[in-house]
Amino acid sequence: NVDDIAFFPWDILGDGAVTQTDANEVFSNIGEVIGEGETELDLTGLDLDLDGAISPVDAVRVVNRVGYRLNSAVTDDAVG
């Protein structure tokens, strides 16, 4: 699968592809509130719906895109 967009937030690990590991990272943080508690991981990127917490909806969004790869030919300039 190729995702022809420059904004690619589902790749939690930033390696150019959405993998099961990305999904696991979101699932393991469901219920975490952004900005509360001590954590080594910046959870901001896991909050895909920007509601202030990691929710099951965020996890489903990643799972639905497992296997997608970032199309490096598409740049921010191309999407206007």
Side-chain angles (χ1 to χ4, degrees), residues 39-68:
T39 179
E40 295 178 13
L41 179 66
D42 177 13
L43 300 177
T44 307
L46 302 180
D47 181 20
L48 299 172
D49 57 9
L50 303 176
D51 65 354
I54 311 302
S55 67
V57 172
D58 296 317
V60 168
R61 287 182 173 155
V62 174
V63 168
N64 285 340
R65 290 167 177 88
V66 168
Y68 278 33

Side-chain angles (χ1 to χ4, degrees), residues 5-6 71-80:
I5 60 173
N71 184 346
S72 59
V74 178
T75 63
D76 289 330
D77 296 335
V79 291

Side-chain angles (χ1 to χ4, degrees), residues 10-15 17-26 62:
W10 315 283
D11 177 17
I12 305 302
L13 301 177
D15 59 3
V18 182
T19 64
Q20 188 61 47
T21 305
D22 294 306
N24 292 347
E25 194 65 41
V26 180
V62 174

